[in-house]
Amino acid sequence: MGPPRPALLPLLLLLLLGLAASARAKDATRFKHLRKYVYNYEAESSSGVPGTADSRSSTKINCKVELEVPQLCNFILKTSHCTLKEVYGFNPEGKALLKKAKSSEEFAAAMSKYDLRLAVPEGKQVLLYPEKEEPKHILNIKRGIISALLLPPDTEEAKQVLFLDTVYGNCSSDVTVKTRKGNVATEISIERNLENCDHFQPISTGVSPLALIKGMTRPLSMLIGSSQSCQYTLDPKRKHVSEAICKEQHLFLPFSYK
């Protein structure tokens, strides 16, 4: 018999944001000052080893997200009405069955306790000003929301490679305009190999937006292959994000000879 076949641990992150406010965008950030944008945020993570259904796990969160713009390129992020659900079983089709977690109320209180202030002075670099008491795993979730919302300014180029700030740091991002209405992009896709992000440490720093994978040593964290794919729908008149869906996959080889 040869060496054991490496097991894979996939992690899927889904962000779904629906716009409930309107405003005209500015070139730097796509959001107009003195306006408030309201979104529905949904993130779901599932993990397991292929072929071993009993070992799968799943977590889901929902929040109301408000993005206020008191000044151009300056924002206040507010999160409220959050719920946390966890898996309790699977139906015959293999879909996870979720119920409200015991810690859901505690999670909701932590998410709504502090507002997060941020600035995007260049339209790409994101500067955060969190409260000192904000727990790291809560801040990481909010960072994930921000990185999903802030798209680069519109250009005439159909494809370009940009270095953009995300929850994982500054990342090389392949930006493709899929659909235009006149001269305005209405559908954009972004692909990233997260391993190419600066200072990317998927485990040891706990940077997952759901803070589900953390606490392992740096050598072991290097055995993870990570990628991210995002699809954006934009308001054709005002150019801001009306919907964003992001999927992440982290493949872990726990039985690798390395």
Side-chain angles (χ1 to χ4, degrees):
M1 296 179 62
R5 181 182 178 184
L8 300 179
L9 178 62
L11 175 66
L12 173 65
L13 173 68
L14 172 67
L15 307 178
L16 175 63
L17 304 97
L19 188 65
S22 62
R24 186 178 57 187
K26 291 290 186 179
D27 288 342
T29 65
R30 297 180 178 272
F31 295 98
K32 186 181 179 181
H33 69 293
L34 302 180
R35 294 296 182 96
K36 179 170 69 174
Y37 301 80
V38 182
Y39 292 87
N40 176 65
Y41 172 83
E42 178 181 294
E44 183 173 351
S45 169
S46 63
S47 62
V49 179
T52 57
D54 292 341
S55 68
R56 291 171 55 197
S57 63
S58 183
T59 304
K60 185 175 183 178
I61 65 176
N62 288 87
C63 290
K64 177 184 177 182
V65 172
E66 298 180 36
L67 189 67
E68 295 183 1
V69 193
Q71 299 177 4
L72 186 62
C73 300
N74 289 270
F75 305 88
I76 301 174
L77 182 76
K78 300 175 182 286
T79 50
S80 61
H81 301 87
C82 295
T83 59
L84 175 65
K85 296 182 179 181
E86 59 187 7
V87 67
Y88 68 89
F90 298 88
N91 65 14
E93 288 74 34
K95 184 177 180 180
L97 303 175
L98 302 172
K99 65 178 181 179
K100 191 174 181 178
K102 293 181 179 180
S103 59
S104 182
E105 299 300 329
E106 179 182 353
F107 171 75
M111 285 290 291
S112 61
K113 187 173 183 178
Y114 300 110
D115 296 340
L116 178 60
R117 297 179 182 274
L118 61 141
V120 193
E122 301 296 331
K124 296 179 182 179
Q125 183 183 13
V126 182
L127 304 177
L128 300 182
Y129 304 97
E131 299 292 336
K132 293 182 179 180
E133 295 80 9
E134 184 90 272
K136 181 181 290 187
H137 70 285
I138 297 297
L139 178 59
N140 282 338
I141 295 174
K142 295 179 180 181
R143 290 168 65 204
I145 297 172
I146 293 166
S147 64
L149 278 175
L150 298 180
L151 273 177
D154 197 3
T155 69
E156 296 181 357
E157 297 182 48
K159 293 187 178 182
Q160 55 183 325
V161 178
L162 299 175
F163 286 88
L164 304 174
D165 276 355
T166 75
V167 68
Y168 294 108
N170 192 266
C171 303
S172 175
S173 308
D174 296 320
V175 182
T176 302
V177 176
K178 301 177 66 177
T179 306
R180 287 186 180 273
K181 188 173 183 179
N183 295 324
V184 179
T186 55
E187 289 186 321
I188 294 176
S189 68
I190 297 182
E191 304 284 339
R192 299 184 178 99
N193 180 350
L194 298 179
E195 298 165 70
N196 293 332
C197 299
D198 62 342
H199 308 299
F200 177 63
Q201 297 181 17
I203 296 283
S204 58
T205 58
V207 296
S208 165
L210 291 182
L212 295 177
I213 50 173
K214 61 181 181 179
M216 301 182 74
T217 62
R218 173 67 176 173
L220 190 55
S221 71
M222 295 300 292
L223 297 178
I224 293 179
S226 302
S227 61
Q228 183 189 74
S229 174
C230 294
Q231 307 293 325
Y232 295 90
T233 302
L234 293 91
D235 185 297
K237 293 183 179 180
R238 302 174 178 89
K239 303 181 182 179
H240 55 241
V241 176
S242 58
E243 183 178 82
I245 300 176
C246 293
K247 293 183 180 180
E248 270 178 32
Q249 188 173 60
H250 303 269
L251 298 178
F252 179 39
L253 308 177
F255 302 120
S256 169
Y257 70 94
K258 296 181 181 179

